[in-house]
Amino acid sequence: MIGIPTETVYGLAANALDANAVIKIFETKKRPTFDPLIVHIANAEHVLKYATEFPSVAQRLTSKLWPGPLTVLLPKRDLVPDLVTSGLPRVALRVPNHPLTHDLLERLAFPLAAPSANPFGYISPTTAQHVVDQLGSSVPFVLEGGPCSVGVESTIVGFEEVEGGGGNEVVVYRLGGVSVEDLTAAAGEGVSIRVSVNNSSNPAAPGMLKSHYAPRKPLILLDGDDEIPSSREVGGQRVGLISVVSRDVVSSGVAVSMSLTQDGSLAEAAKNLFATLRAMDASDVDIIYAQRCKDEGLGRAINDRLQRASVKE
Ligand code: TXA
Ligand code: MG
């Protein structure tokens, strides 16, 4: 088991075909075994080794978006251990876009199961140092691949045939590094995109737990500019503010202020999201306020993570 860089977040990787190796991932992360793992492959030619079907819509999407932050759910072959899919009938496959990890996958004779390399429920790691800081002694080796360029996890999709000859549907189970707009463009005519991002803690639903990606400190999501706190303390608690506009625009009187972007782009905000949450968690504030992004493009994935980070269970 090793730490690997990807363009989204760092992963904790092991031989996906070896249940004894995979169980170590669950133990190290303290992850419940009902939450399945994504299987990383070197390129789309490997898909049918692990899946029994590769529908044409999936081929079209992956030919345009792989390598990249897109994970596809396809019916699994028996050689993929049930532990990897948590007993679910589909396997999650992805070709990550990072030169080191791509090179590694090309050399290995097996695919790599890899969840994000953080303790279950905590903020995902976007540098090798984050992995070492949190899982240090239990992970013998982390491949240093620099800071992740995308910064939020892959978008997870499945494929449905709409009954009555209604064509094909792509179902988005997790918002992530490929925006819904980009998916729609890549899917082309005649394919509908449905976002089905559930908020339950129902183990049967593809593992999107309501509370996740969470700092230890309470996080409060802000909708409008008027709600931005302007004092160092609220109710005796030192206030931190994470803003999505450049630092000079928001200079309220809070104790610690951090901005997700300097240039106002959602791509930059996504890239900085998890490191900023970590820095806030490590700072001396007691409570974190975070501004919601525009609900478009990567903003949807950022808002999804902030929403889950704000829920305490
Ligand atoms: O960007 C990413 O996807 C990163 C990097 C390391 O590749 N990985 C990642 O893995 O975010 P993880 O384990 O933190 O999230 C994987 C999620 C699960 O929580 C679940 O929602 C979904 O992928 N998933 C995995 N396998 C599945 C399956 N067989 N059926 C349904 N959902 C699945
Ligand atoms: Mg994760």
Side-chain angles (χ1 to χ4, degrees):
M1 186 182 61
I2 63 164
I4 55 163
T6 82
E7 77 282 28
T8 57
V9 300
Y10 273 70
L12 188 59
N15 180 351
L17 305 181
D18 178 354
N20 292 322
V22 171
I23 194 73
K24 293 198 184 116
I25 296 176
F26 285 96
E27 287 168 2
T28 304
K29 271 186 70 102
K30 300 194 171 45
R31 176 175 175 123
T33 51
F34 64 69
D35 196 4
L37 307 181
I38 294 172
V39 174
H40 298 71
I41 53 179
N43 58 60
E45 281 159 35
H46 295 277
V47 167
L48 286 170
K49 287 190 192 166
Y50 311 112
T52 56
E53 289 165 36
F54 195 11
S56 57
V57 184
Q59 290 188 36
R60 197 175 329 142
L61 284 185
T62 55
S63 71
K64 293 182 180 156
L65 298 168
W66 276 358
L70 177 72
T71 294
V72 295
L73 296 177
L74 297 172
K76 86 172 193 76
R77 284 197 191 276
D78 289 344
L79 90 164
V80 178
D82 286 330
L83 182 62
V84 170
T85 64
S86 302
L88 292 167
R90 293 185 289 188
V91 59
L93 295 172
R94 155 162 138 82
V95 176
N97 187 15
H98 192 289
L100 277 183
T101 294
H102 182 257
D103 201 25
L104 177 65
L105 287 167
E106 290 234 292
R107 286 161 194 247
L108 292 173
F110 48 81
L112 290 174
S116 49
N118 51 301
F120 184 69
Y122 192 65
I123 305 165
S124 302
T126 51
T127 65
Q129 190 61 48
H130 292 162
V131 182
V132 174
D133 287 348
Q134 288 189 303
L135 299 174
S137 54
S138 48
V139 182
F141 190 83
V142 183
L143 258 184
E144 170 61 81
C148 300
S149 58
V150 174
V152 290
E153 293 86 347
S154 59
T155 301
I156 301 178
V157 299
F159 305 91
E160 308 278 344
E161 268 178 50
V162 182
E163 280 179 31
N168 291 300
E169 190 174 59
V170 174
V171 185
V172 179
Y173 294 105
R174 178 171 74 181
L175 295 162
V178 172
S179 67
V180 174
E181 290 85 341
D182 287 349
L183 267 183
T184 308
E189 296 276 300
V191 179
S192 54
I193 311 279
R194 178 162 60 92
V195 179
S196 169
V197 185
N198 68 69
N199 253 340
S200 83
S201 352
N202 172 6
M208 290 308 292
L209 300 177
K210 203 170 165 202
S211 169
H212 218 72
Y213 315 102
R216 295 190 182 86
K217 294 173 182 168
L219 184 136
I220 293 169
L221 207 46
L222 299 172
D223 273 316
D225 285 359
D226 48 336
E227 298 174 23
I228 291 176
S230 54
S231 53
R232 294 181 72 78
E233 291 188 2
V234 171
Q237 299 206 294
R238 281 173 67 78
V239 172
L241 173 66
I242 297 177
S243 60
V244 288
V245 289
S246 71
R247 203 166 272 145
D248 9 305
V249 180
V250 175
S251 51
S252 80
V254 295
V256 178
S257 175
M258 295 180 189
S259 171
L260 292 182
T261 88
Q262 295 302 312
D263 67 4
S265 83
L266 291 170
E268 197 201 358
K271 183 171 188 245
N272 292 331
L273 175 67
F274 289 137
T276 306
L277 281 171
R278 262 167 210 272
M280 249 331 160
D281 218 14
S283 76
D284 64 354
V285 303
D286 303 307
I287 185 163
I288 306 167
Y289 288 84
Q291 263 186 316
R292 203 187 279 277
C293 293
K294 277 181 283 187
D295 228 359
E296 62 184 40
L298 285 177
R300 285 201 196 97
I302 297 170
N303 289 340
D304 172 272
R305 303 302 186 271
L306 286 174
Q307 177 68 46
R308 291 176 207 276
S310 71
V311 174
K312 281 272 175 256
E313 276 192 327

